[in-house]
Amino acid sequence: MTDAPLPRPVLASGFDIPANVVVVDHPLVQHKLTRLREAATSTAGFRRLTRELSLLLAYEATRDLPLEMEQIETPLEPMTAPKLSGKKLCFVSILRAGNGILDGMLDLVPAARVGHIGLYRDPKTLQPVEYYVKLPEDMAERVCIAVDPMLATGHSAAAAIERLKRSGANAIVFVCLLSVPEGLRTLCAAHPDVKIVTASIDRELDGHGYIRPGLGDAGDRLFGTR
């Protein structure tokens, strides 16, 4: 059997992907994302798929975690083996939809610390408004992974990361299910040092700031609201 080339999960044509952006093209990720996009997917199914996708994306988001060696005893002999180095991870959910991704990440790293940043987008200006922040201590000593299903205009993500930097965080990864060129340009311009992990770069934003083709409002679909 001849292996067919894997279709690229990038729906935006003519967009040069920045060096700090990783598009996860694993077949399982792309399959689950397709099921997630479907309008017929139930609230329960949307939650389950989001959780499964976030666990898979977490592998890429944590790829560069530092390791150190320690001496252990296997049932057969002693050996020197790698383990994670330094303080525990910190996952930061950008409320409210970020909580849907948070659950899957914690399945993979249950000992991680968790922070929350509450932002809402002003419907007229599309600018983020902060209403809640709760973060762990010693942020400067932790790798921080900020999560939000959608990177649309990029303003909320940029504001959240700016808030994390003010708290002392200096090793930050941003993870989202969907992005668009507009949002990537905004976030990369504001924070070129931040790695961005996404499952797709969709075509564009519409006049209301929604990702097209997208998957609708992630928060509404996660929580069964309108």
Side-chain angles (χ1 to χ4, degrees), residues 124-144:
K124 294 183 179 179
T125 66
L126 302 184
Q127 296 300 308
V129 180
E130 181 183 299
Y131 65 89
Y132 181 81
V133 175
K134 186 72 172 180
L135 300 170
E137 297 180 351
D138 304 323
M139 291 293 286
E141 301 177 37
R142 304 179 187 277
V143 174
C144 180

Side-chain angles (χ1 to χ4, degrees), residues 58-205:
Y59 281 102
E60 184 60 46
T62 56
R63 179 180 295 277
D64 299 323
L65 290 180
L67 296 171
E68 63 185 21
M69 306 303 289
E70 73 169 351
Q71 192 71 20
I72 65 169
E73 292 280 344
T74 78
L76 299 177
E77 64 181 47
M79 71 170 290
T80 302
K83 68 170 185 176
L84 290 176
S85 175
K87 288 271 190 179
K88 290 184 172 64
L89 277 172
C90 175
F91 295 133
V92 176
S93 170
I94 301 175
L95 300 175
R96 65 178 170 152
N99 282 355
I101 293 184
L102 181 64
D103 290 341
M105 298 250 173
L106 288 172
D107 286 343
L108 185 67
V109 192
R113 300 294 188 264
V114 175
H116 295 86
I117 296 179
L119 297 167
Y120 69 88
R121 187 171 60 176
D122 185 287
K124 294 183 179 179
T125 66
L126 302 184
Q127 296 300 308
V129 180
E130 181 183 299
Y131 65 89
Y132 181 81
V133 175
K134 186 72 172 180
L135 300 170
E137 297 180 351
D138 304 323
M139 291 293 286
E141 301 177 37
R142 304 179 187 277
V143 174
C144 180
I145 299 178
V147 298
D148 195 351
M150 318 291 274
L151 179 61
T153 65
H155 298 308
S156 293
I161 290 172
E162 179 60 34
R163 185 65 179 81
L164 290 174
K165 288 182 175 180
R166 292 203 308 271
S167 76
N170 50 54
I172 303 171
V173 179
F174 179 79
V175 177
C176 60
L177 301 178
L178 297 183
S179 60
V180 285
E182 298 95 322
L184 288 170
R185 291 188 187 101
T186 296
L187 186 53
C188 289
H191 303 287
D193 56 322
V194 171
K195 178 181 177 181
I196 302 169
V197 177
T198 184
S200 179
I201 303 175
D202 278 20
R203 186 179 68 248
E204 63 186 357
L205 290 179

Side-chain angles (χ1 to χ4, degrees), residues 48-59:
R48 174 180 55 80
L49 286 163
T50 300
R51 190 172 190 139
E52 293 170 356
L53 271 167
S54 60
L55 190 151
L56 294 170
L57 293 176
Y59 281 102

Side-chain angles (χ1 to χ4, degrees), residues 8-9 22-27 29-30 56-57 60-61 197-200:
R8 292 292 295 168
V22 177
V23 182
V24 181
D25 57 6
H26 191 284
V29 170
Q30 294 307 308
L56 294 170
L57 293 176
E60 184 60 46
V197 177
T198 184
S200 179

